[in-house]
């Protein structure tokens, strides 16, 4: 009998810990078979921050820029 390995935990947002959408939850050798675009999100900080946290982070970055 051969058991399939359990899928690893999906990647989550660094800031709030929410699971990230658009990133497959697969074993490393299965991820290697995918296209580059299917492994992660092409957005800035894609695969690290969720869309909500990125929105907030960008707003804060712009405010600190305009204040300086
Ligand atoms: Zn987040």
């Amino acid at each position: 009998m051969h058991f399939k390995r359990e899928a690893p935990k999906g990647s989550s947002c660094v800031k709030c810990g929410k699971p990230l959408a658009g990133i497959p939850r697969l074993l490393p050798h299965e991820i290697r078979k995918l296209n580059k675009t299917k492994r992660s999100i092409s957005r800035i900080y894609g695969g690290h921050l969720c869309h909500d946290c990125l929105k907030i982070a960008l707003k804060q970055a712009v405010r600190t820029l305009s204040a300086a």
Side-chain angles (χ1 to χ4, degrees):
M1 283 257 271
H2 188 79
F3 291 95
K4 203 165 183 254
R5 219 178 103 189
E6 198 181 318
K9 258 194 169 179
S11 46
S12 50
C13 173
V14 181
K15 216 170 171 187
C16 68
K18 251 191 281 177
L20 291 173
I23 293 170
R25 190 184 154 185
L26 298 170
L27 294 172
H29 71 268
E30 289 172 320
I31 286 194
R32 238 179 292 137
K33 284 184 224 160
L34 297 174
N35 304 334
K36 195 183 174 187
T37 51
K38 282 181 182 168
R39 287 178 202 164
S40 192
I41 304 173
S42 55
R43 197 198 297 141
I44 178 172
Y45 289 115
H48 295 275
L49 292 176
C50 69
H51 64 283
D52 281 328
C53 290
L54 180 67
K55 208 194 275 177
I56 295 163
L58 285 177
K59 271 184 192 169
Q60 284 174 347
V62 167
R63 276 167 199 165
T64 50
L65 272 178
S66 54

